[in-house]
Amino acid sequence: MSPLEVIPRATRRRRTSRAKPAALAVLLSAALVATACSSDSDDSSSSSTTASASTSASGSSSSALVPFDTAAMDKLVNDMATEYREIGMMVLIRTPQGEYVKSFGTTAIDSTDAPTLDTKVRIGSNTKTWTGTAIMQMVQEGKISVDDPVSKYRPDVPNGENITVGQLLNMRSGLYNYTETVTLNEALDNEPQKVWTPEQLLALAFANPPYFAPDQGYHYSNTNTVLLGLIAEQLDGKPIAQIFQDRFFSTLGMTGSSFPANTDTAIPAPYASGYSYSGNIETLGEGKESLSPERIAAIEAGTVAPRVTTNDNPSWTWSAGQGIATANDLATWVKAMGSGDLLDEATQQLRIDSVQPTDPNKPDGAGYGYGIAQMGPMYGHIGEMPGYNSFMGYDPANDVTLVVWANLAPTIDGNAAAARVAMELVPFIYGAPDTSTGGDIDDTADDTSGG
């Protein structure tokens, strides 16, 4: 096997989606239309709500929203988390109608501690929104333009004179995703403590041909965001961790968020341990998302335990996925990002206008822009790495924040548990059902798998 052997683009990892009733495919985009015109017994599970009878003081319309059916929501989360064999899960929903908080399970197999809003987890590709927002702030400051060629900052990028910074931000550069190489996935299986440098990751990417010419397609690629992280360091003259701390964590009071050094595999307490039944090579490629029937049978029989991934080295994701945060911090962050609090009006509009459909055959489907995903009326992202899956979304039209994380990922049938639970909770938030947002969340979860 060649050291740079890759999985062909046609066989990039994709999740299987379990069949679901039409009612569970309800999508967030219904909210756009609307604004324009107990549970299973589980000693380690808990939920709470805070009711609000009035319309949001911010002026957001609550006509699209419905009061929380706490018992039904609790049952849904418990049932899905149990089905997916999750160890722990955390759900946070904030709307003008109130707040819903649901804790499922424990922070670790050998713990009796239930997850809380301040439990720290690895957030995977949600980190991309930190990197993208830092670049957009630098655009606002005049340090860089989205129309600049990448070669201006990184002369080593293949065809960099024809790739713009904006195309890195919206995943339209065509640059190969190093996460899809066999080399990386074998290392993740065999050397989970290996320390990767950003330059090593780029070398894996640049050794492979591009997917397409710049701006001639969409392909989610961690390579883009690693490059953006290096450019951000170059422009700000400081490490990416300090950029995030100075620009975001301190400003927003995100005390539970951090970006560890490449050699640091610890998660600050209190944290949730990560677990996975899947190997990276084992599930790499079309049709291989689900584990083999034999493996699944052994898992169901209790003879196979999940691997603990908590302290696997995350440096293979760097500025594309190395962040740590809490549910509280993700909610704070995604609302600030989606509402425009982090950029001036013109730069925020530039960012929102950059969103394009990820599938040209679905013009009203999931979209991706300058370091931000759109799923129905929600702006946010989804993150996944071995042992952790998280979803964050904010709907500025209705002032809705939705955050979910889970600490067994992926599921044995290849699903992203947090994203799936978020999708199924949509009908409990919005009063006007639609049939597209669940698909948007699913499509985005597919893109973000493996990083």
Side-chain angles (χ1 to χ4, degrees):
M1 179 179 295
S2 164
L4 289 178
E5 182 177 347
V6 299
I7 296 295
R9 179 187 177 197
T11 57
R12 63 189 287 260
R13 181 181 302 182
R14 299 286 289 180
R15 286 192 182 81
T16 53
S17 297
R18 64 186 175 92
K20 54 185 178 291
L24 294 183
V26 175
L27 281 182
L28 300 170
S29 54
L32 293 177
V33 176
T35 54
C37 3
S38 168
S39 62
D40 295 344
S41 176
D42 188 334
D43 292 340
S44 64
S45 301
S46 62
S47 67
S48 65
T49 59
T50 302
S52 173
S54 63
T55 301
S56 167
S58 67
S60 297
S61 169
S62 60
S63 61
L65 309 178
V66 295
F68 296 136
D69 184 344
T70 305
M73 295 164 77
D74 285 354
K75 185 177 189 308
L76 173 72
V77 175
N78 285 337
D79 287 351
M80 292 190 71
T82 300
E83 174 189 350
Y84 287 139
R85 301 181 176 275
E86 290 301 328
I87 311 304
M89 180 175 283
M90 197 70 224
V91 179
L92 170 60
I93 305 173
R94 291 175 179 155
T95 82
Q97 300 286 353
E99 180 176 273
Y100 172 81
V101 178
K102 170 65 178 172
S103 172
F104 171 89
T106 59
T107 57
I109 287 176
D110 57 355
S111 173
T112 59
D113 294 335
T116 74
L117 293 177
D118 293 319
T119 301
K120 299 176 182 70
V121 293
R122 300 194 188 280
I123 62 169
S125 286
N126 285 307
T127 309
K128 288 181 172 66
T129 63
W130 295 351
T131 305
T133 303
I135 291 292
M136 293 306 296
Q137 287 190 346
M138 294 176 197
V139 168
Q140 178 177 305
E141 294 158 6
K143 294 181 177 180
I144 191 172
S145 167
V146 294
D147 296 321
D148 284 347
V150 177
S151 59
K152 179 177 179 179
Y153 308 97
R154 292 287 307 204
D156 59 324
V157 175
N159 199 28
E161 66 277 11
N162 295 312
I163 298 172
T164 67
V165 169
Q167 288 158 3
L168 295 182
L169 285 162
N170 66 11
M171 302 294 178
R172 295 178 181 275
S173 71
L175 292 171
Y176 196 90
N177 185 6
Y178 67 82
T179 313
E180 296 176 33
T181 63
V182 171
T183 301
L184 180 78
N185 283 272
E186 285 183 335
L188 295 180
D189 285 340
N190 301 325
E191 303 175 81
Q193 294 302 314
K194 180 179 173 65
V195 178
W196 294 87
T197 68
E199 299 297 344
Q200 288 174 318
L201 302 175
L202 294 181
L204 289 178
F206 296 165
N208 294 285
Y211 300 114
F212 43 75
D215 206 31
Q216 296 304 301
Y218 166 88
H219 191 96
Y220 187 86
S221 175
N222 285 343
T223 305
N224 294 320
T225 316
V226 168
L227 277 168
L228 290 169
L230 290 169
I231 292 171
E233 288 190 332
Q234 181 180 339
L235 294 174
D236 253 13
K238 62 180 73 170
I240 193 72
Q242 195 63 49
I243 292 174
F244 294 156
Q245 183 65 50
D246 294 346
R247 288 180 176 270
F248 309 137
F249 305 160
S250 296
T251 302
L252 296 175
M254 295 168 59
T255 58
S257 298
S258 59
F259 187 88
N262 279 17
T263 55
D264 185 359
T265 62
I267 305 178
Y271 66 87
S273 298
Y275 300 89
S276 183
Y277 286 105
S278 302
N280 291 280
I281 287 292
E282 177 184 28
T283 55
L284 183 66
E286 187 71 29
K288 296 178 64 178
E289 303 87 349
S290 178
L291 298 178
S292 69
E294 294 76 18
R295 282 284 306 283
I296 292 176
I299 292 168
E300 292 177 341
T303 59
V304 174
R307 184 175 74 85
V308 182
T309 64
T310 314
N311 300 118
D312 286 4
N313 192 300
S315 58
W316 61 275
T317 64
W318 200 55
S319 58
Q322 200 165 301
I324 292 170
T326 65
N328 260 334
D329 279 4
L330 287 178
T332 296
W333 169 256
V334 76
K335 181 173 182 176
M337 180 179 67
S339 64
D341 288 349
L342 299 167
L343 302 170
D344 63 26
E345 184 176 353
T347 310
Q348 177 73 358
Q349 193 61 52
L350 175 66
R351 190 177 204 180
I352 297 304
D353 289 345
S354 73
V355 175
Q356 300 178 58
T358 58
D359 183 347
N361 295 317
K362 299 178 181 178
D364 296 322
Y368 205 90
Y370 291 162
I372 194 169
Q374 182 178 13
M375 298 157 282
M378 282 194 170
Y379 294 95
H381 219 281
I382 299 173
E384 182 174 305
M385 58 202 314
Y388 298 95
N389 177 225
S390 52
F391 171 95
M392 63 175 188
Y394 178 70
D395 167 9
N398 293 284
D399 191 25
V400 172
T401 304
L402 173 57
V403 171
V404 185
W405 64 250
N407 66 339
L408 186 147
T411 65
I412 61 176
D413 57 355
N415 272 296
R420 295 289 300 183
V421 169
M423 184 185 80
E424 310 292 14
L425 283 170
V426 169
F428 294 94
I429 302 173
Y430 294 98
D434 177 81
T435 56
S436 60
T437 298
D440 289 0
I441 294 174
D442 243 3
D443 288 345
T444 305
D446 279 340
D447 279 346
T448 56
S449 65

